[in-house]
């Protein structure tokens, strides 16, 4: 699969040998043994020290055997080159199955095609398609690139038309903050699935009922599309300050009771009590995971912040791995 094979034209003639995410989570060793598969999310490192930390986590997770790993993409394409380079190395130098993020914001159609070509050149055929957040202010006004696409649905079709890519999309248990209501949010998700997306990964959430209601809404709106996996994303909280920042950027929120509990644990000193916060965060992530497993979630997808320890502890609590130290 080469860059020339996909750049700027329909490449339906080529086929990838890389498994799709749907195939991987349904045929993983975890599934065969009766356990739920898990996956993890990494972010492009900002400097050499961060990159060294990332690769320590990568090697630890490689030992733990996730079904797949995803690599995020900075707002407005701010980490584009690093995202391609690091995701390519995951494909070439590890046994992990990488999923590359691709966002519409700030990119022309030609640039989006070039990104797909760059991923194809590195042997990457699994792409998570996102509309993306505006650079500078993720909650600010979303402005279409004059030569780009307006909606994630259009980007799904663009990527699928270029060749044998396996495409996933985002879903929002609490509803996307730009959607006027949950009915519209469901309509937008189903339109992305109908456009050719094979699965969705949710935004992080902290109330499992929100995930279950999302799943119910999709099934009620379109039973056929409702059969596609909705993979829940979980963030084991290790810092209240960091969690609040992530939630602010995503437009999501902590349930009031959990926020109160974490606030008490953090204390009112100049530095939060991260050990106490972390203990609650691991406990909550474990409890969420246990319920998601009981409710038939297809896979557990963990935000790692490029560390392996917290996710490793949750997996250990679930009886899915040994505890890790990275």
């Amino acid at each position: 699969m080469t860059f020339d094979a996909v750049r700027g034209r329909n490449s339906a003639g080529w086929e990838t040998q890389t498994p799709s995410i749907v195939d991987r989570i349904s045929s993983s060793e975890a599934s065969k043994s009766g356990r739920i598969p898990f996956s993890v999310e990494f972010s492009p490192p900002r400097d050499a020290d961060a990159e060294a930390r990332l690769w320590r986590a990568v090697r630890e997770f490689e030992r733990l055997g996730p079904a797949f790993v995803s690599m995020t993409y900075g707002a407005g394409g701010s980490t584009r080159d690093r995202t391609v380079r690091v995701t390519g190395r995951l494909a070439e130098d590890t046994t992990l199955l990488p999923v590359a993020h691709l966002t519409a914001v700030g990119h022309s159609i030609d640039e989006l095609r070039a990104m797909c070509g760059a991923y194809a050149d590195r042997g990457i055929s699994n792409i998570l398609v996102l509309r993306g957040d505006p650079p500078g202010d993720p909650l600010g006004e979303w402005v279409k690139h004059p030569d780009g696409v307006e909606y994630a649905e259009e980007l799904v079709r663009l990527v699928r038309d270029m060749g044998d890519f396996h495409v996933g999309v985002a879903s929002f248990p609490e509803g996307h903050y730009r959607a006027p209501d949950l009915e519209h949010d469901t309509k937008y998700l189903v339109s992305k699935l109908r456009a050719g997306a094979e699965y969705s990964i949710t935004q992080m959430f902290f109330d499992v009922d929100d995930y279950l209601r999302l799943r119910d809404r999709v099934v009620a709106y379109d039973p056929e599309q409702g059969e596609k996996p909705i993979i829940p994303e979980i963030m084991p909280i290790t810092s209240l300050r960091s969690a609040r920042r992530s939630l602010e950027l995503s437009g999501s929120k902590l349930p009031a009771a959990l926020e109160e509990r974490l606030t008490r644990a953090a204390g009112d000193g100049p530095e939060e009590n991260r050990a106490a916060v972390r203990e609650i965060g691991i406990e909550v992530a474990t409890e969420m995971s246990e319920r998601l497993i009981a409710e038939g979630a297809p896979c557990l997808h963990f935000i790692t912040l490029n560390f392996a320890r917290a996710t490793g502890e949750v997996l250990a609590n679930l009886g899915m791995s040994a505890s890790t130290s990275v």
Side-chain angles (χ1 to χ4, degrees), residues 195-259:
E198 301 170 16
Y199 63 95
S200 73
I201 298 178
T202 74
Q203 185 180 62
M204 65 176 171
F205 61 93
F206 294 92
D207 187 338
V208 173
D209 282 340
D210 289 334
Y211 168 82
L212 298 177
R213 300 295 78 77
L214 166 65
R215 197 169 62 177
D216 291 344
R217 289 195 302 273
V218 176
V219 170
Y221 194 96
D222 186 328
E224 181 180 358
Q225 301 306 319
E227 294 180 1
K228 294 180 177 179
I230 299 177
I231 300 172
E233 182 174 69
I234 303 162
M235 184 174 78
I237 294 176
T238 58
S239 163
L240 181 55
R241 182 178 294 108
S242 176
R244 281 174 170 162
R245 177 60 175 162
S246 296
L247 289 161
E248 178 185 349
L249 294 174
S250 69
S252 188
K253 61 183 183 297
L254 283 171
L258 177 56
E259 177 149 21

Side-chain angles (χ1 to χ4, degrees), residues 122-193:
R122 308 300 290 268
I124 299 162
S125 64
N126 285 288
I127 297 181
L128 188 71
V129 163
L130 308 162
R131 192 182 189 213
D133 297 323
D137 180 8
L139 303 184
E141 181 183 4
W142 201 95
V143 179
K144 174 183 175 293
H145 187 286
D147 298 315
V149 298
E150 179 77 24
Y151 299 107
E153 174 188 350
E154 298 173 77
L155 186 52
V156 171
R157 296 185 190 280
L158 175 69
V159 175
R160 288 298 301 266
D161 285 347
M162 291 185 65
D164 193 18
F165 288 104
H166 302 295
V167 179
V169 293
S171 52
F172 302 87
E174 299 170 63
H176 194 282
Y177 62 90
R178 297 185 192 276
D181 52 45
L182 291 178
E183 182 179 355
H184 281 81
D185 183 79
T186 306
K187 174 184 176 182
Y188 299 144
L189 173 56
V190 170
S191 70
K192 293 186 290 186
L193 296 171

